[in-house]
């Protein structure tokens, strides 16, 4: 089936936003053709090439150099993006190639069965663009979809996750095609090529991949195609063995030939909906697995959204991120606006962390009450990001005492409603801790910050038979019940609705030009990781590698604050913060092998054409930062 139009109708047009003009690459048709051919033509099929593909590439958490940069959680993925940059591609081309490779080597975190948010700085225009590729609910989904009709009570959360009912219409493939059509220089087929090669030839199993498989082993066994793929020989793959996914390689080739229409209205659409509506449960499974509601019409209706980013000014720079349906941009932005009222750089470390935690607590209270899919409810984005509202919320922060969580939200639409009136709020809604993030930059100054997900580690645990990818459980990000008897809230399920997310891919500009790009996985802790990294870098004098590596704290309007082991065991600020009333607990290990918060990827523009790419030094086994031409030491 041929792909349809030169610009995919699965995307809506961008909203006009005035931005300052900047320099741009000029790519002739001949250059574009040569680049596409360079990526599409097969490499020499020598034994050395095959061995190099399988062998795990060396990984470093920091790389500094010229010509472009990539950072992600996995060295295979970062090298896939670097391959595209080396062939002459731009940051968008490299982002899609890196993301496709993550779908192979990090299949429990992301892939074509999930959704995403992409933030892009275009050097030619000086504008920041965003793509909302969040999954959508089927047309048959109603606000009571996760309630047991016999009791009126929410169904068990695990029963909701491991079911067709949790699967939203995937947005990631549409994001790839739309971003390439609008800003890229190569076709989708070329961008998929490095990932297809990895899927076909295999990759070396890491301790992290094995540990994530073991965490999901029981539920993977309950779905026949998932067990066949991810439990080869009936067991999790051994560390150091080669894991191949020829089914996913075949699926990528299908998308390369036919475009994403193959997934949204072709044969793959029928296979996805059949899997969602009749999950392939193993004969000996004793799990209750509910059927899903998705139809082929739901897939055919899917569209990504091009929309304005959120923007706040902080310490003389401009911070851009995702607007709703994500809560990332509004919540990070509100917290930064609150912190703008305090001189963190003039405080000792414990006092600065206290203010960071309190600003996050307040912003989360407002996020839970007001943020959802703006197509279905009024989301006061402008008011949440106003300096007036931030000043009202900032007056609640007592330098000598932590607020008792949860605090109540305020109404940003009503001046004075949040002024020094704490009150008591509701519980923090659940959001899975998985997902993955990447950043890319190119020789022309274009930058991408991109977060993609299938929700919790392993998604719904349902693999599409013969296709090599897991389906998301993104619809469990909806609230199962109203916020209160008086307030339904903005995040109940609904037909075609995007569930609220915390993903916060962020780009920071200084005088209109890129300074930082960053983001992270981690469910609802995404917001706090991005916020803390920005505070570390912009307020506390840390370098970007130091800001990423520092022990993390996550306060999301709860009684306790999550804290990583390094903070709990050795941070000198712990005692001072506990004296202020903060209570710390380690992160749960329910869906990740280690008690850690997030797994950031970031980059900084150093000037003189240099980039510094930064990945995690240890979290998730350590990430991978690469540059096109390393700087001499």
């Amino acid at each position: 089936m041929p792909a349809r139009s030169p610009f995919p109708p699965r995307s809506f047009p961008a909203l006009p936003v005035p931005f300052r003009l900047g320099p741009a690459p000029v790519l002739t048709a001949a250059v574009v053709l040569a680049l596409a051919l360079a990526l599409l033509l097969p490499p020499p099929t020598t034994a050395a090439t095959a061995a190099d593909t399988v062998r795990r590439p060396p990984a470093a958490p920091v790389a500094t150099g010229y010509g472009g940069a990539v950072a992600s959680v996995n060295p295979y993925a970062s090298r896939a993006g670097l391959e595209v940059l080396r062939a002459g591609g731009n940051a968008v081309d490299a982002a899609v190639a890196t993301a496709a490779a993550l779908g192979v080597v990090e299949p429990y975190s992301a892939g074509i069965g999930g959704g995403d948010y992409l933030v892009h700085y275009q050097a030619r225009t000086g504008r920041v663009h965003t793509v909302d590729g969040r999954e959508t609910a089927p047309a048959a989904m109603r606000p009571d979809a996760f309630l047991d009709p016999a009791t009126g009570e929410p169904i068990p959360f695990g029963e909701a996750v491991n079911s067709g009912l949790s699967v939203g219409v995937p947005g990631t493939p549409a994001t790839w095609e739309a971003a390439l059509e609008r800003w890229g220089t190569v076709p989708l087929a070329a961008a998929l090529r490095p990932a297809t090669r990895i899927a076909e030839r295999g990759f070396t199993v890491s301790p992290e991949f094995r540990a994530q498989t073991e965490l999901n082993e029981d539920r993977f066994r309950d779905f026949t195609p998932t067990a066949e793929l991810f439990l080869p020989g009936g067991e999790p793959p051994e560390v150091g063995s080669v894991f191949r996914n020829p089914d996913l390689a075949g699926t990528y080739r299908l998308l390369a030939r036919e475009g994403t229409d193959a997934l949204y209205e072709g044969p793959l659409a029928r296979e996805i909906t059949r899997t969602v509506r009749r999950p392939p449960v193993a004969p000996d499974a004793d799990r209750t697995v509910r059927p899903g509601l998705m139809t082929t019409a739901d897939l055919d209706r899917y569209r990504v959204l091009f929309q304005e980013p959120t923007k706040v000014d902080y310490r003389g720079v401009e911070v851009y991120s995702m607007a709703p349906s994500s809560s990332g941009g509004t919540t990070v932005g509100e917290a930064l606006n609150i912190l703008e009222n305090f001189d963190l750089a003039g405080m000792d470390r414990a006092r600065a962390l206290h203010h960071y935690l309190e600003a996050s607590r307040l912003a989360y209270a407002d996020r839970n009450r007001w943020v959802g899919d703006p197509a279905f409810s009024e989301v006061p984005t402008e008011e949440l990001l106003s300096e007036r509202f931030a000043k009202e919320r900032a007056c609640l922060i007592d330098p000598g005492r932590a607020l008792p969580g949860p605090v109540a939200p305020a109404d940003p639409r009503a001046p004075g409603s949040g002024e020094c009136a704490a009150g008591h709020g509701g519980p923090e809604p659940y959001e899975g801790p998985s997902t993955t993030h990447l950043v890319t930059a190119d020789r022309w100054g274009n930058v991408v910050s991109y977060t993609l997900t299938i929700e919790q580690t392993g998604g719904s645990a349902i693999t599409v038979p013969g296709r090599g990818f897991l389906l998301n459980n993104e619809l469990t990000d909806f609230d199962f019940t109203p916020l209160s008897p008086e307030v339904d809230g903005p995040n109940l399920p609904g037909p075609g609705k995007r569930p609220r997310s915390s993903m916060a891919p962020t780009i920071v500009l200084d005088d209109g030009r890129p300074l930082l790009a960053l983001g992270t996985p981690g469910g609802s802790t995404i917001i706090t990781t991005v916020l803390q990294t920005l505070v570390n870098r912009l307020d506390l004098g840390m370098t970007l590698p130091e800001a990423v590596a520092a022990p993390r704290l996550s306060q999301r309007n709860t009684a306790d604050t999550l804290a990583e082991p390094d903070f709990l065991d050795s941070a000198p600020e712990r005692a001072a913060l506990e004296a202020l009333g903060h209570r710390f607990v380690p992160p749960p290990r329910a869906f990740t092998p280690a008690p850690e918060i997030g797994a950031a990827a970031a980059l900084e523009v150093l000037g003189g054409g240099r980039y510094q790419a930064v990945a995690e030094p240890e979290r998730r086994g350590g990430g991978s930062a690469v540059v096109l031409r390393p700087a001499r030491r």
Side-chain angles (χ1 to χ4, degrees):
M1 184 173 86
R4 289 190 292 185
S5 66
F7 187 83
R10 305 203 176 280
S11 57
F12 291 148
L15 297 172
V17 188
F19 284 84
R20 193 164 65 85
L21 293 177
V26 178
L27 297 177
T28 66
V31 170
V32 173
L33 177 62
L35 172 56
L37 288 173
L39 288 167
L40 284 168
L41 289 174
T45 54
T46 63
T49 302
D52 289 343
T53 303
V54 173
R55 186 183 302 116
R56 187 174 177 86
V62 181
T64 303
Y66 303 86
V70 182
S72 79
V73 75
N74 190 282
Y76 290 98
S78 295
R79 294 284 170 176
L82 190 68
E83 178 181 332
V84 171
L85 291 176
R86 185 174 288 119
N90 68 14
V92 171
D93 305 325
V96 174
T98 305
L102 286 168
V104 180
V105 297
E106 296 284 325
Y108 308 147
S109 298
I112 59 173
D116 52 40
Y117 296 101
L118 184 148
V119 179
H120 170 235
Y121 171 81
Q122 187 176 29
R124 181 175 61 83
T125 63
R127 293 179 59 177
V128 176
H129 309 271
T130 76
V131 184
D132 180 335
R134 182 66 159 163
E135 299 91 335
T136 57
M141 179 156 273
R142 297 293 181 263
D144 60 356
F146 291 106
L147 301 183
D148 188 329
T151 65
E153 296 296 318
I155 63 176
F157 188 75
E159 191 173 304
V161 168
N162 302 294
S163 73
L165 190 61
S166 71
V167 181
V169 178
T172 291
T175 294
W176 293 352
E177 193 166 63
L180 289 171
E181 289 283 352
R182 181 158 289 200
W183 304 301
T185 65
V186 302
L188 179 62
L192 291 176
R193 193 180 182 287
T196 305
R197 187 172 65 246
I198 297 169
E200 189 69 53
R201 296 176 179 174
F203 61 91
T204 302
V205 172
S206 67
E208 182 76 10
F209 186 86
R210 162 110 183 164
Q212 290 184 3
T213 309
E214 289 174 336
L215 278 174
N216 288 282
E217 183 176 353
D218 288 345
R219 64 194 194 108
F220 280 6
R221 290 189 185 281
D222 287 341
F223 297 97
T224 303
T226 307
E228 291 174 351
L229 177 60
F230 294 114
L231 302 173
E235 299 296 333
E238 295 292 336
V239 174
S241 65
V242 175
F243 186 90
R244 296 181 175 86
N245 193 341
D247 288 345
L248 183 56
T251 302
Y252 278 175
R253 290 192 185 98
L254 174 66
L255 297 179
R257 289 193 309 271
E258 301 185 11
T260 63
D261 280 352
L263 187 145
Y264 289 104
E265 61 182 50
L268 189 48
R270 294 187 291 273
E271 294 173 38
I272 290 172
T273 55
R274 185 186 311 122
T275 304
V276 169
R277 296 178 75 87
R278 295 193 299 274
V281 181
D284 58 349
D286 58 5
R287 186 186 301 274
T288 298
V289 179
R290 294 174 181 260
L293 303 172
M294 191 187 303
T295 68
T296 54
D298 293 315
L299 283 157
D300 188 48
R301 276 191 294 265
Y302 185 83
R303 301 291 185 271
V304 300
L305 305 175
F306 291 90
Q307 59 185 19
E308 295 183 63
T310 60
K311 174 182 177 291
V312 298
D313 296 320
Y314 185 71
R315 315 296 192 203
V317 298
E318 307 91 48
V319 182
Y320 292 85
S321 191
M322 283 305 309
S325 58
S326 180
S327 65
T330 56
T331 312
V332 171
E334 181 185 345
L336 290 173
N337 282 341
I338 292 171
L339 291 172
E340 184 85 4
N341 293 279
F342 304 96
D343 179 17
L344 300 191
M347 299 177 183
D348 62 51
R349 181 73 183 280
R351 295 287 175 179
L353 287 174
H354 168 67
H355 284 75
Y356 150 69
L357 293 172
E358 297 297 88
S360 179
R361 186 194 307 275
L362 292 165
Y364 261 91
D366 300 326
R367 169 249 197 199
N368 295 343
R369 169 61 183 89
W370 297 108
V371 181
D373 185 341
F376 290 80
S377 59
E378 180 186 352
V379 181
T381 299
E382 182 178 349
E383 293 86 350
L384 283 167
L385 294 174
S386 71
E387 293 180 7
R388 182 269 306 166
F389 185 60
K391 287 182 183 296
E392 292 180 4
R393 300 301 267 161
C395 77
L396 285 167
I397 297 179
D398 182 342
R401 181 176 62 88
L403 287 162
V407 300
D411 188 344
R413 305 166 303 177
S417 71
E419 190 168 359
C420 296
H424 192 72
E428 165 68 11
Y430 175 82
E431 188 176 342
S434 189
T435 309
T436 193
H437 182 80
L438 65 96
V439 292
T440 61
D442 62 34
R443 68 191 71 181
W444 300 286
N446 302 298
V447 176
V448 171
S449 183
Y450 183 22
T451 312
L452 56 162
T453 184
I454 58 172
E455 225 292 33
Q456 74 177 48
T457 306
S460 65
I462 302 172
T463 298
V464 180
R467 291 302 185 181
F469 65 91
L470 286 156
L471 293 169
N472 68 83
N473 67 294
E474 214 65 63
L475 302 186
T476 56
D477 274 356
F478 283 123
D479 297 339
F480 286 16
T481 58
L483 291 179
S484 70
E486 298 79 25
V487 178
D488 284 346
N491 194 43
L492 287 175
K497 190 174 184 179
R498 285 164 155 83
R500 180 176 59 210
S501 171
S502 294
M503 289 186 276
T506 299
I507 292 178
V508 179
L509 304 186
D510 184 4
D511 194 24
R513 299 193 179 278
L515 173 65
L516 302 170
L518 69 156
T520 181
S524 60
T525 68
I526 289 172
I527 291 166
T528 58
T529 296
V530 170
L531 177 62
Q532 187 176 2
T533 304
L534 289 171
V535 168
N536 288 344
R537 179 68 188 90
L538 299 175
D539 289 294
L540 303 186
M542 297 184 191
T543 64
L544 186 58
E546 291 170 341
V548 168
R552 290 185 185 136
L553 308 175
S554 181
Q555 172 48 245
R556 293 156 296 140
N557 197 27
T558 54
D560 297 327
T561 295
L562 298 185
E564 290 186 320
D566 283 351
F567 177 88
L568 294 173
D569 295 341
S570 58
E573 300 84 11
R574 177 179 178 178
L577 288 168
E578 288 178 332
L580 295 176
H582 295 282
R583 299 188 315 192
F584 298 105
V585 296
R589 299 193 189 205
F591 302 111
T592 54
E596 59 196 17
I597 299 172
L603 64 83
E604 182 166 350
V605 181
L606 300 176
R610 287 185 306 148
Y611 291 110
Q612 184 178 63
V614 180
E616 293 286 357
E618 295 182 6
R619 296 179 184 95
R620 288 204 186 181
S624 170
V626 294
V627 292
L628 192 63
R629 298 193 307 277
R632 295 180 180 177
R633 294 184 178 181

